[in-house]
Amino acid sequence: MKIGILGGGQVGQALWDTIHMEKENILNILGEPLEIKKVLVRDLSKKRDIPKDFLTNNPDEIIYDKEISLIVEVMGGEEPAHTYIKRALEEKKFVVTANKEVIALHGDELHKIARKKGVDIAFEASVGGGIPLIKTIKEAMAVDKVKEIWAIVNGTTNYILTKMEEELRDFEEVLREAQKLGYAEPDPSKDILGLDTKFKLAILSSFAYHTTIKPEEIYTEGIEKISLRDIQYAKELGYKIKLLAISKFYNGEIEVRVHPTMIPLSSPLSSVNGVYNAILLRAEKRGDVLLYGEGAGPYPTAMALLSDILEATHTILYSVPRYYSFAYLYPSKIKPSDEIYTRYYIRLWVKDQPGVLAQIAKILGENHISISSVIQKETSEKEGKAELVILTHKTYEKSMSKAIEEIKLLPILEEWGSLIRIEV
Ligand SMILES: NC(=O)c1ccc[n+]([C@@H]2O[C@H](COP(=O)([O-])OP(=O)(O)OC[C@H]3O[C@@H](n4cnc5c(N)ncnc54)[C@H](OP(=O)(O)O)[C@@H]3O)[C@@H](O)[C@H]2O)c1
């Protein structure tokens, strides 16, 4: 059985190594050897551990090779990966990919082509690295109804937030260290701004709710505005700040959002630290299912790819009927983001004078927001100013947005700090 790989970078190399290291195991599972015929790279002269004879810089040598019946895409990015996958499926080749961007943006289209051509596209490696998330949702949860997803699926942001919290260091300083250690890309914007998490949530939610969630429908905030002060206040109040991917499906409406979230120390997600990922699935019959593990890294990712490859290869070799997922079946109704109903933490600098708290409490009260606690600290840091932290009970996002607009117009406001949603 011959396969081709599009991409010979970190993951492509790890897959090459894994397939060679696991030769015997693979032979036992498949009943015949798995051979990598060609690997597509951009630069043939680059030093790498894949022998030169196996490399090509011409994608057609893999996509249109009649001997190759399965193609693994590990190039990354939307294009040309999306076009190559599409061509491969049209050529009736099975595709296995680690590309969250392509699946989040074009999963629906690619699945339709795959079914029409009698093949399939598998992408376990696109979310959560080595953690078997897609298989769990696609197979184990197929006849249960997933009602909620709570997930930490970006190792870079989780590493930064963990370091800020444990070592009481600023965002910028920890980010620079993460880049030096290889935990953050030279251009970290996709991770920091929450875009990577948004793509992953689009994939997970489409599968969990059997529909199509487009990334642009997901309300998204990154961690770039989280300050050390917020981290310290969260700690003092018994919370941690995590970049959460949240989705819920109730009454025919899907709520999907990605934003920094304060979670209590009693939540199992609060102990997911560093580059680790975790996903909490709340299902109707099964209740809570928690999956935890290494969310990235070339070798865990190669393992996820290999499990998809073995399953697809089995289908090809023994004509086993494919177990298709239920994703993309139904249209989705997305709940408007101003209808989010949650608790809030707000932090602001105000004039240090009597009656300030009463003015803020009045605005919150007029917008039907009830305060659960207030911290006001005397500080010599900013003369004449006091820092105020307010935690609210549950309220609607639209009420909170209106109240903040009004608070920002108050003459007693010196400086706006931050707003973080609290979930339990
Ligand atoms: N790294 C991880 O831990 C991890 C974890 C989970 C998922 N993933 C996903 O896995 C995929 C690959 O990631 P990676 O870290 O292995 O990336 P990478 O190290 O940048 O490797 C990309 C490979 O694709 C080749 N390539 C890129 N564009 C090409 C083009 N237009 N034509 C021909 N070849 C091209 C590159 O060729 P050259 O070598 O010649 O430059 C390189 O070999 C991405 O979708 C990523 O999101 C990665």
Side-chain angles (χ1 to χ4, degrees), residues 150-152 242 244 263 267-273 278-280 290:
W150 300 83
I152 295 170
K242 298 283 181 193
L244 283 199
I263 52 175
S267 160
L269 293 178
S270 76
S271 48
V272 178
N273 290 323
I279 176 171
L280 177 70
L290 181 68

Side-chain angles (χ1 to χ4, degrees), residues 280-351:
L280 177 70
L281 297 167
R282 190 153 284 163
E284 205 167 74
K285 307 280 184 317
R286 273 194 171 81
D288 287 0
V289 173
L290 181 68
L291 296 152
Y292 169 87
E294 285 189 50
Y299 285 90
T301 306
M303 271 306 176
L305 288 165
L306 187 55
S307 90
D308 275 347
I309 293 168
L310 292 179
E311 201 186 323
T313 313
H314 212 256
T315 305
I316 299 165
L317 289 174
Y318 303 107
S319 308
V320 181
R322 204 63 191 155
Y323 181 74
Y324 284 109
S325 82
F326 296 110
Y328 315 119
L329 276 186
Y330 306 110
S332 65
K333 187 167 175 235
I334 306 289
K335 191 171 179 169
S337 60
D338 64 358
E339 285 175 26
I340 292 171
Y341 186 66
T342 187
R343 295 184 62 206
Y344 293 85
Y345 154 102
I346 55 172
R347 183 175 59 79
L348 57 164
W349 289 91
V350 289
K351 286 197 166 54

